[in-house]
Amino acid sequence: MKNIVILISGRGSNMQAIVDANIAGACIAAVISNRPDAAGLAWAAERGIATAVVDHKAYASREDFDAALAQVIDGFQPQLVVLAGFMRILTAGFTRRYEGRMLNIHPSLLPAFPGLHTHARALEMGCKVAGCTVHFVTAELDHGPIVSQGVVSLLPGDTPDSVAARVLQLEHQLYPDAVRRFVADELNIIDGRVASPDQPPGSLMAPAP
Ligand code: GRF
């Protein structure tokens, strides 16, 4: 069994998709939020999953917050830490501590559009596709070895919200699948890239428009 700790800041729909996937060999050990009012906490608690809050506002610096967060995370002895809409910039020390065992999902086709407002920026640039990326977390924000990507076409009349809704559906398939592959030891990082010689299904998801 691999213990998984999921970090959220809000509604936690990706966390829900991962929990609902009932991944063989995975135990969702805890859901932790930096915001006491994160809606996903109640959802997890209702299902008997341990929850915790480490409120970033209670700490004077990023280093102090990350140290406190790491202490709570490590109490659950996770083999994998999953960032699921966790809206904090992490210190290099924190990312180093969980190197090779911390995943994130980002709503763009990285390396394009790291940071916020990804869909609005893709529309503004006249991109023809948008999407999401599951990647291992490194010190650089929204970088790190790419596990899988989902692509949607941008359609006439699209708004950031309509794109977000379509991409979110993909996220809910892509992220549980990436976690499943991590748990099955299928994700090897070689030379800073996730080795997938035979492109296993799930590395790319591109539904027809
Ligand atoms: C998702 O769009 C994810 O890609 C981004 O934040 C959002 C989180 O949504 N990192 P949810 O909390 O999982 O519903």
Side-chain angles (χ1 to χ4, degrees):
M1 265 319 210
K2 285 197 171 80
N3 282 343
I4 298 176
V5 167
I6 306 179
L7 305 188
I8 63 169
S9 295
R11 72 189 155 183
S13 70
N14 278 288
M15 174 271 292
Q16 294 179 21
I18 291 166
V19 170
D20 284 343
N22 284 318
I23 296 165
C27 166
I28 308 300
V31 173
I32 303 173
S33 171
N34 64 308
R35 296 180 55 118
D37 59 350
L41 284 175
W43 188 94
E46 274 165 25
R47 275 145 193 89
I49 299 169
T51 61
V53 174
V54 183
D55 188 345
H56 63 276
K57 292 196 190 115
Y59 298 89
S61 68
R62 280 193 197 284
E63 284 72 18
D64 289 353
F65 169 69
D66 280 5
L69 180 61
Q71 201 173 15
V72 175
I73 292 172
D74 291 350
F76 294 98
Q77 300 186 309
Q79 277 75 38
L80 176 66
V81 176
V82 171
L83 307 184
F86 186 64
M87 302 300 282
R88 298 295 302 166
I89 292 175
L90 300 166
T91 58
F94 186 90
T95 57
R96 220 176 299 119
R97 183 185 195 93
Y98 300 106
E99 195 178 342
R101 55 189 184 107
M102 181 155 62
L103 293 173
N104 181 42
I105 190 158
H106 180 73
S108 83
L109 295 169
L110 292 174
F113 308 124
L116 297 174
H117 311 301
T118 51
H119 304 314
R121 286 153 69 201
L123 287 168
E124 221 167 82
M125 292 301 293
C127 293
K128 306 309 173 207
V129 294
C132 53
T133 303
V134 177
H135 65 97
F136 281 96
V137 176
T138 56
E140 204 177 339
L141 180 70
D142 298 329
H143 276 69
I146 291 173
V147 174
S148 51
Q149 295 186 298
V151 183
V152 300
S153 294
L154 291 179
L155 307 172
D158 256 335
T159 63
D161 283 349
S162 67
V163 178
R166 281 209 305 288
V167 170
L168 196 64
Q169 287 181 11
L170 271 186
E171 294 185 28
H172 294 164
Q173 299 171 55
L174 210 63
Y175 215 0
D177 189 63
V179 171
R180 182 191 59 70
R181 287 165 62 198
F182 180 93
V183 169
D185 292 323
E186 288 175 18
L187 303 179
N188 302 308
I189 303 172
I190 297 171
D191 293 336
R193 295 188 199 99
V194 175
S196 51
D198 49 358
Q199 277 292 328
S203 292
L204 168 73
M205 281 187 190

